[in-house]
Amino acid sequence: MKIVLAPMEGVVDHLMRDMLTKVGGFDLCITEFVRVVEQLLPPRTFYRLCPELHHGAKTPSGVPVRVQLLGQHPQWLAENAVRAVELGSPGIDLNFGCPAKTVNKSKGGAVLLKEPETLYQIIKAVRDAVPAEQAVSAKIRLGFDDKSLALENADAITQAGASLLTIHARTKVDGYKPPAYWPWIKKIKQTTDIPIIANGEIWSAQDAALCQEQSGCDDIMLGRGALALPNLANTIKHGHQGMTWEEVKALLVSYSGYEIYSDKGRYYPNRIKQWFNYLKRQYPEAEEMFISLRTLKDPQAIVELLSS
């Protein structure tokens, strides 16, 4: 079984990837998306979103990190894919799942699920441009408004030469509302011969087992669940017990050291509060601490609260 850390825009940056891969259980990370419009982006854009490129495209604990691109123009995506691979990315991931309105309005992300031919042209252009030994993966949802094009989209992605496909088992309109429709992944899996990774609504080892059973997939991708339970990957893969609240607090303090002294330090209070919104799902203590945390704006005061 392979477990991949999901590309969560504005949440899973290189600091969070470092923290979660240190906790363990992940085999691959995907970056937040690099937005491609009509230009070849400079190397600094890739290094900003994926500083791991300076270190062999791996987190400090040795987990590979793959650059994700988002856009609608096949040739520009292909040129930027070549650049990302030249900078060291182990393959390229293409985002056809982002539900954000601003992204969809500019014809990126999930809105392309309405256009199987565009999916084909994008993936074929990238596949033709990137060396054969480099993976070209895609991430999709089951559709935009509905699931009517799910099988056609998967076929277009397969025929274009994608190496593997990650499926978030909801449509764009479903957003993140439960449930995730894992049996639909199995329907798609039966029509393609490329590897598929199942994603969506996996919050526990029990959810992972049910997802694997219903989707027919061994490999899974974790997103919000890994923020709610930081060692979720290890509970799934190795049967570990979930981290205690004291262990989570120690992790938060460690994360604080990274975040406060990084170039994003001014965002630290908002970032830690954002993480608490996920932790509250698993830990009643997080709910209680958040009452005091939400009014704090000074990083040192937040660290003192976490250390209490």
Side-chain angles (χ1 to χ4, degrees), residues 142 150-151 154 165 167-169 180-194 196-199 209-218:
L142 294 176
L151 298 180
L165 175 61
I167 303 173
H168 182 139
Y181 301 95
W182 298 322
W184 261 91
I185 298 179
K186 182 176 273 188
K187 284 187 188 182
I188 294 170
K189 194 171 187 294
Q190 289 166 346
T191 69
T192 178
D193 56 2
I194 62 174
I196 291 186
I197 297 172
N199 172 233
L210 187 59
C211 172
Q212 288 173 311
E213 178 190 334
Q214 292 187 1
S215 69
C217 296
D218 293 326

Side-chain angles (χ1 to χ4, degrees), residues 28-99:
L28 175 69
C29 302
I30 308 294
T31 68
E32 301 167 275
F33 63 74
V34 175
R35 184 76 168 97
V36 174
V37 187
E38 295 181 345
Q39 61 177 319
L40 177 60
L41 295 165
R44 67 175 181 275
T45 301
F46 295 91
Y47 287 128
R48 181 172 53 82
L49 279 168
C50 187
E52 294 97 338
L53 291 171
H54 288 298
H55 308 284
K58 291 182 178 178
T59 67
S61 50
V63 176
V65 182
R66 181 176 297 161
V67 169
Q68 184 183 77
L69 303 180
L70 179 147
Q72 60 166 311
H73 302 290
Q75 199 50 46
W76 287 115
L77 284 162
E79 290 192 29
N80 282 280
V82 170
R83 171 149 287 176
V85 167
E86 287 174 349
L87 293 174
S89 177
I92 290 295
D93 192 67
L94 295 163
N95 180 324
F96 304 117
C98 180

Side-chain angles (χ1 to χ4, degrees), residues 109-129:
V111 74
L112 293 176
L113 298 174
K114 295 177 174 182
E115 302 179 19
E117 178 60 24
T118 303
L119 298 183
Y120 175 87
Q121 294 297 340
I122 288 172
I123 290 169
K124 187 169 191 315
V126 173
R127 178 67 281 170
D128 288 350

Side-chain angles (χ1 to χ4, degrees), residues 113-114 141-150 153 170-174 184:
L113 298 174
K114 295 177 174 182
R141 285 173 172 255
L142 294 176
F144 192 83
D145 300 302
D146 56 42
K147 307 175 187 70
S148 59
L149 290 174
N153 284 332
R170 287 182 271 230
T171 64
K172 185 272 179 189
V173 171
D174 292 332
W184 261 91

Side-chain angles (χ1 to χ4, degrees), residues 266-277 296 302:
R266 63 188 178 279
Y267 303 120
Y268 167 74
N270 289 335
R271 295 298 296 272
I272 207 81
K273 290 169 191 176
Q274 183 183 44
W275 196 352
F276 259 76
N277 279 321
L296 299 179
I302 292 173

